[in-house]
Amino acid sequence: AQKITQTQPGMFVQEKEAVTLDCTYDTSDPSYGLFWYKQPSSGEMIFLIYQGSYDQQNATEGRYSLNFQKARKSANLVISASQLGDSAMYFCAMRGRGSRGSIQGAQKLVFGQGTRLTINP
Amino acid sequence: DSGVTQTPKHLITATGQRVTLRCSPRSGDLSVYWYQQSLDQGLQFLIQYYNGEERAKGNILERFSAQQFPDLHSELNLSSLELGDSALYFCASSVGGLGPYEQYFGPGTRLTVT
């Protein structure tokens, strides 16, 4: 079974500073995917970034980058030059297999408990 | 805007009742997923459909059922509702099955059971 652990329930950061949100995972699958989502107070889930387990390079999307350390089973999200609008809940997720194993198209996301990030002016 | 639509946005109903939540995936997406977000359980995967067929099942209660129609929209039916079913229900969609396909989430339906 897949498991995602986010050990930081809350983080407070000054505007314009960089911030790292921690995520560790556990899986026995040789191939997997890791995702980060942002959930603002309005409630919607916004996809931020994806890292595949066989990707050689760390993923980057604008101000977001993923610090992927496969041997340590960690996939930390780094936000550079934080902005007030970055205040939100952040969820790390892993693409795992559904109950039917490897049936084509079977997958689900397993989420961590989330980190609430607050950016202070 | 993710392109995934969900209706209704809010739903308030009484215990024992039955409700239907509706989801329309992004244009071109074949997979639809349902998730439940509650304070005590966090975000939990319920069920996935791919091109009309059930593909994966999570901790979905027997009182809950879902289906995906030929036009690819999906409905989640919740029956014999209990107070503990109060939650935010998300639908997500992706292009296909296995692969680096990110799931795009709808705005959610907030269900309150009184």
Side-chain angles (χ1 to χ4, degrees), chain A residues 52-70:
Chain A
S53 58
Y54 290 118
D55 292 344
Q56 296 296 314
Q57 307 267 359
N58 284 345
T60 60
E61 288 286 347
R63 293 187 300 113
Y64 304 109
S65 61
L66 203 151
N67 183 2
F68 181 47
Q69 297 187 46
K70 197 170 182 177

Side-chain angles (χ1 to χ4, degrees), chain A residues 13-15 84 119-121:
Chain A
V13 173
Q14 286 299 118
E15 192 180 6
L84 296 178
I119 307 298
N120 295 315

Side-chain angles (χ1 to χ4, degrees), chain A residues 37 39 95 103 105 107 109, chain B residues 35 37 48 55 90 97 99 103:
Chain A
Y37 284 85
Q39 187 177 37
R95 185 193 70 234
I103 287 180
Q107 61 173 302
L109 288 180
Chain B
Y35 293 87
Q37 185 178 30
Q48 176 204 0
R55 288 293 181 171
F90 285 108
Q103 295 179 19

Side-chain angles (χ1 to χ4, degrees), chain A residues 5-9 12 18-19 29 31 44 51 55 58 63-64 74 79-80 97 106 113:
Chain A
T5 303
Q6 293 180 255
T7 56
Q8 306 153 311
F12 295 84
V19 57
D29 286 342
S31 175
E44 73 267 33
Q51 179 83 44
D55 292 344
N58 284 345
R63 293 187 300 113
Y64 304 109
S74 74
I79 306 175
S80 63
R97 298 188 189 280
Q113 289 300 307

